[in-house]
């Protein structure tokens, strides 16, 4: 199960990477269009709506690879069993939050599909229901990831990188 | 439940969760959801708050700056430009005392202008500058201090992820904040250089002089890197300053320019994909933190936090001192972005009689100073992990960083007394 999740998350991360490059290119085209041809192509709508999609495509892998920011100031002083307990609580809270996001955003997503919701006026109209769908889909996937990690923590078999504090014994940072 | 009581209880709950080791983003989001539930006593409304926020909060043009500036930095770092820059600067410095350490500071300042984070600089210069300084028998503590200390410039000299996050939270112009970081960043770099040269003048044994014949000649590739980095700095900062680009446009164009430089330096398809994927791994945790911190901020406004804070603490310089202490203490145990997200929404409500732009630079300097202080100074741990020498002790890096820490506090103090250091240039944007 864990391997399958890893593959899915990795694939989503590649999609996000390609999307990010497309955003950079859209910005470039927009600036060139404006500077040389005084043309407004509406690229900012694409960029604006891409941000949450890219973020939610990237988060599953960030969680799976233990890149989420945390402080280990007291965690470092716990024994192995308590570390698993803290991790389990963290994963449970993560599940609850993601279920909240999925449930809370569900109605808007369905409505978006029904009415073909879009953003932008004139130059470019960007459909936003796919963005809502990516967020809800990602929230459901993250719930599943946290659930698998919770099972591992409950069996004292949590091998997520950073689950036993990283080698520096402190918060991860950019 | 009374709103005041709810605020205090949720704050305590959140801090307990964070300091136990729960993912900070999760702790913030859960506090928002639970807190909203207690205000409305309706579970669906609480989940609608976080569900709606997940879609709306980062759906803004300006948020694209973070992944794009991180990508720009990753391209520049991956193609080896930092090492080339270091060598060229080193050659240009001639016979200046403590030349390799001065080149580390200058190289870091230049590298900071094309990358948004401190950690990338700390890791890069640990691998590049440390072996060079050891080759010429520099005192280890002195060498390590110069690497860790000057890496902090990354967060102050634009483009800086911290400035972007600060701008987003306080709804200030990111372009103006970038410009405001320029003079304090240069001032701090000058202070670092003056200290390095002065220390070597007083104690020459810290950094023995390098014989002329031991200097490697500058190669064509190194010149290409240096010119490329300078061109990117001019393009990004010049574009923002001259009003040609917004911060987001500068980030997009900067990322593409950095990719061109990386290709010129020999980076191929595999390396490019690696850089883009790595940039995602760095920016995703920051972005989700922004999403959940936004959820928390929405909960705070639902709870009418403005009135609660203003009634509870009042205004004035004494409150300013309290903020300073909180930032320095938190700086020792939490990462900079989390500190900004936890404190700035509250602190920015309090009027301590300083220009908001200068206040941002002042705050970032103090939070950054925490990266060098024990027990959890993050840059110090990164340097320890990255230097190719397993004999290096954490204590040595901490001791070597003390002068740099003091200079950061001095700069913060100067900005407090003369806010114009930060805000003056913004008048020309």
């Amino acid at each position: 199960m864990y391997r399958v999740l890893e593959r899915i998350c990795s694939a989503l991360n590649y999609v996000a990477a390609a999307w990010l490059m497309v955003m950079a290119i859209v910005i470039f085209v927009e600036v060139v269009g404006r500077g040389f041809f005084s043309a407004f192509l509406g690229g900012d709508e694409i960029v604006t709506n891409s941000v949450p999609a890219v973020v939610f495509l990237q988060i599953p892998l960030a969680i799976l690879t233990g890149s989420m920011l945390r402080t280990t100031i007291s965690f470092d002083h716990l024994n192995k069993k308590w570390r698993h307990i803290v991790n389990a609580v963290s994963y449970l809270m993560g599940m609850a939050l993601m279920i909240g996001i999925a449930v809370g955003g569900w109605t808007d997503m369905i409505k978006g599909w029904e009415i073909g919701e879009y953003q932008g006026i004139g130059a470019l109209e960007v459909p936003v229901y796919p963005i809502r769908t990516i967020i809800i889909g990602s929230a459901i996937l993250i719930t599943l990831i946290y659930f698998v990690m919770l099972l591992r923590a409950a069996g004292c078999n949590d091998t997520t990188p950073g689950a036993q504090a990283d080698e520096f014994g402190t918060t991860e940072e950019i | 439940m009374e709103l005041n009581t709810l605020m205090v209880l949720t704050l305590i709950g959140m801090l307990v969760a964070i300091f136990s080791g729960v993912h900070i983003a999760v702790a913030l989001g859960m506090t928002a959801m639970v807190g909203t539930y207690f205000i409305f006593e309706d579970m669906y409304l609480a989940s609608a708050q976080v569900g709606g926020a997940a879609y709306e909060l980062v759906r803004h043009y300006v948020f694209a700056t973070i992944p794009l500036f991180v990508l720009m930095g990753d391209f520049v770092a991956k193609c080896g430009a930092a090492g080339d820059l270091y060598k060229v600067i080193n050659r240009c410095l001639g016979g200046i005392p403590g030349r390799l350490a001065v080149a580390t500071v200058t190289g870091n300042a230049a590298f900071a202008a094309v990358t948004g984070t401190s950690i990338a600089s700390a890791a890069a210069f640990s691998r590049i500058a440390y072996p060079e300084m050891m080759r010429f028998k520099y005192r280890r503590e002195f060498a390590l201090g110069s690497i860790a200390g000057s890496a902090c410039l990354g967060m102050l000299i634009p483009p800086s992820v911290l400035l972007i996050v600060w701008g987003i939270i306080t709804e200030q112009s990111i372009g103006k904040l970038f410009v405001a970081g320029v003079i304090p960043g240069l001032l701090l770099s000058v202070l670092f250089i003056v200290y390095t040269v002065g220390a070597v003048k007083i104690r020459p044994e810290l950094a023995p002089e390098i014989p002329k014949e031991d200097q490697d000649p500058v190669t064509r590739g190194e010149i290409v890197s240096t010119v490329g980095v300078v061109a990117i700095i001019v393009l990004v900062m010049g574009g923002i300053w001259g009003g040609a680009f917004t911060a987001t446009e500068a980030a997009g164009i900067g990322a593409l320019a950095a990719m061109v430089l990386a290709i010129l330096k020999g980076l191929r398809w595999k390396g490019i994909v690696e850089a883009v994927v790595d940039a995602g791994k760095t920016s995703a945790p920051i972005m989700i933190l922004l999403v959940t911190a936004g959820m928390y901020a929405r909960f705070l406004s639902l709870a009418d936090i403005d009135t609660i804070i203003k009634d509870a603490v009042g205004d004035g310089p004494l409150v300013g001192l309290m903020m300073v202490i909180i930032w320095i203490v938190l700086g020792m145990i939490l990462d900079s972005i989390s500190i900004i997200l936890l404190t700035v929404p509250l602190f920015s409500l309090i009027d301590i009689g300083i220009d908001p732009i200068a206040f941002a630079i002042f705050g970032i300097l103090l939070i950054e100073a925490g990266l060098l202080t024990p027990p959890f100074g993050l840059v110090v741990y990164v340097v320890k992990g990255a230097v190719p020498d397993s004999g290096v002790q954490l204590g040595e890096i901490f001791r070597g960083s003390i002068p740099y820490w003091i200079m950061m506090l001095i700069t913060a103090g100067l900005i407090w007394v003369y806010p114009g250091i930060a805000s003056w240039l913004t008048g020309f944007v």
Side-chain angles (χ1 to χ4, degrees):
Chain A
M1 185 67 185
Y2 195 77
R3 292 267 164 270
V4 177
L5 284 175
E6 226 170 13
R7 280 205 190 138
I8 296 172
C9 296
S10 188
L12 293 180
N13 204 48
Y14 277 108
V15 174
W19 200 326
L20 188 61
M21 280 316 293
V22 171
M23 279 162 70
I25 293 164
V26 167
I27 289 173
F28 177 72
V29 172
E30 179 81 18
V31 171
V32 170
R34 191 183 61 210
F36 292 95
F37 311 105
S38 302
F40 289 88
L41 308 169
D44 51 344
E45 279 298 337
I46 299 178
V47 174
T48 301
N49 285 293
S50 296
V51 182
V54 169
V55 173
F56 275 87
L57 287 172
Q58 288 171 336
I59 299 298
L61 189 67
I63 292 172
L64 211 56
T65 53
S67 310
M68 293 286 276
L69 297 165
R70 75 193 308 200
T71 177
T72 52
I73 180 171
S74 51
F75 193 80
D76 287 337
H77 302 288
L78 300 175
N79 64 27
K80 218 171 172 187
K81 186 182 152 203
W82 276 100
R83 288 182 182 191
H84 281 299
I85 292 174
V86 169
N87 283 335
V89 172
S90 185
Y91 302 152
L92 254 179
M93 286 171 69
M95 276 175 73
L97 178 63
M98 288 302 147
I99 291 172
I101 290 176
V103 171
W106 187 266
T107 318
D108 284 338
M109 179 189 76
I110 299 292
K111 214 183 280 169
W113 277 95
E114 282 169 1
I115 60 170
E117 184 188 11
Y118 66 86
Q119 291 278 331
I121 312 156
L124 193 69
E125 291 168 351
V126 182
V128 293
Y129 49 91
I131 313 294
R132 289 189 188 274
T133 313
I134 287 172
I135 294 172
I136 305 290
S138 171
I140 294 169
L141 177 64
I142 296 170
T143 309
L144 192 63
I145 291 170
Y146 272 134
F147 181 65
V148 171
M149 285 161 71
L150 177 68
L151 290 183
R152 291 181 136 206
C156 287
N157 182 31
D158 189 3
T159 51
T160 315
Q164 293 296 321
D166 59 48
E167 59 181 308
F168 304 127
T170 181
T171 49
E172 284 253 355
E173 194 181 11
I174 47 161
Chain B
M1 196 188 302
E2 278 261 336
L3 278 182
N4 291 13
T5 322
L6 176 65
M7 281 306 305
V8 173
L9 286 180
T10 49
L11 185 67
I12 292 172
M14 184 175 73
L15 292 178
V16 167
I18 288 175
F19 290 111
S20 314
V22 170
H23 295 165
I24 298 167
V26 169
L28 279 161
M30 272 303 280
T31 310
M33 194 160 85
V34 173
T36 312
Y37 168 75
F38 279 107
I39 291 178
F40 297 111
E41 294 184 347
D42 182 332
M43 203 55 228
Y44 182 74
L45 271 182
S47 61
Q49 201 267 87
V50 292
Y55 169 70
E56 289 153 21
L57 284 171
V58 287
R59 210 178 62 85
H60 288 284
Y61 195 52
V62 69
F63 280 85
T65 43
I66 294 175
L68 289 170
F69 273 133
V70 169
L71 179 61
M72 180 173 97
D74 265 21
F75 276 133
V76 176
K78 274 249 156 41
C79 70
D84 295 346
L85 195 66
Y86 178 70
K87 281 189 191 146
V88 172
I89 291 173
N90 188 20
R91 278 294 289 185
C92 295
L93 288 174
I96 201 168
R99 199 182 74 195
L100 291 172
V102 176
T104 305
V105 174
T106 322
N108 254 309
F111 192 59
V114 283
T115 178
T117 64
S118 287
I119 304 306
S121 329
F125 282 86
S126 298
R127 290 187 202 104
I128 300 159
Y130 181 76
E132 277 292 294
M133 288 195 263
M134 287 304 102
R135 195 174 129 208
F136 293 104
K137 310 248 174 327
Y138 274 42
R139 193 62 65 83
R140 206 154 75 171
E141 203 175 287
F142 179 72
L144 292 164
S146 73
I147 296 170
S150 55
C152 290
L153 292 169
M155 287 303 193
L156 193 61
I157 295 178
S160 145
V161 170
L162 288 193
L163 288 171
I164 298 172
V165 172
W166 194 295
I168 287 169
I169 292 206
T170 55
E171 295 179 357
Q172 293 186 73
S173 152
I174 290 168
K176 272 197 174 172
L177 282 176
F178 277 3
V179 173
V182 172
I183 294 183
L186 292 177
L187 174 68
L188 194 58
S189 312
V190 170
L191 277 179
F192 285 175
I193 292 170
V194 168
Y195 157 73
T196 311
V197 175
V200 176
K201 279 258 185 207
I202 296 166
R203 295 174 58 201
E205 72 274 14
L206 288 176
E209 211 174 312
I210 303 166
K212 268 229 150 45
E213 60 273 22
D214 277 348
Q215 295 179 1
D216 301 325
V218 174
T219 64
R220 203 173 147 262
E222 287 160 9
I223 293 171
V224 169
S225 292
T226 311
V227 172
V229 168
V230 172
I232 294 173
I233 297 171
V234 171
L235 182 71
V236 169
M237 281 314 290
I240 294 176
W241 205 329
F245 312 143
T246 62
T248 313
E249 287 165 354
I253 288 172
L256 287 183
M259 188 175 75
V260 172
L261 173 67
I263 292 170
L264 284 177
K265 286 283 302 161
L267 202 70
R268 291 295 166 255
W269 179 248
K270 197 165 161 255
I272 291 171
V273 173
E274 235 171 61
V276 186
V277 170
D278 279 359
K281 282 185 193 159
T282 308
S283 58
I286 305 172
M287 298 297 282
I288 188 68
L289 208 53
L290 282 172
V291 173
T292 56
M295 293 172 181
Y296 182 60
R298 280 189 176 191
F299 157 65
L300 290 182
S301 60
L302 281 173
D304 199 14
I305 187 71
D306 295 33
T307 323
I308 296 176
I309 289 280
K310 278 177 184 153
D311 289 351
V313 297
D315 297 331
L318 216 70
V319 186
L321 191 68
M322 187 189 73
M323 290 179 192
V324 172
I325 295 167
I326 292 176
W327 274 331
I328 293 179
V329 171
L330 284 181
M332 296 179 195
I333 48 182
L334 273 180
D335 65 275
S336 318
I337 291 179
S338 302
I339 298 171
I340 292 182
L341 293 174
L342 285 172
T343 59
V344 174
L346 302 177
F347 287 5
S348 60
L349 297 172
I350 303 164
D351 179 16
I352 54 162
I354 173 172
D355 174 72
I357 296 241
F359 181 63
I361 306 296
F362 170 77
I364 283 174
L365 266 167
L366 286 177
I367 294 167
E368 277 295 284
L371 291 182
L372 294 177
T373 45
F376 298 100
L378 203 96
V379 164
V380 174
Y381 286 92
V382 174
V383 171
K384 165 90 175 79
V387 284
D389 180 352
S390 53
V392 167
Q393 300 294 313
L394 277 175
E396 284 179 288
I397 316 177
F398 275 126
R399 280 196 300 276
S401 307
I402 292 171
Y404 294 87
W405 182 76
I406 294 171
M407 284 180 275
M408 288 172 82
L409 293 191
I410 290 174
T411 311
L414 282 173
I415 292 173
W416 180 273
V417 181
Y418 306 106
I421 297 172
S423 56
W424 178 69
L425 263 189
T426 59
F428 299 95
V429 183

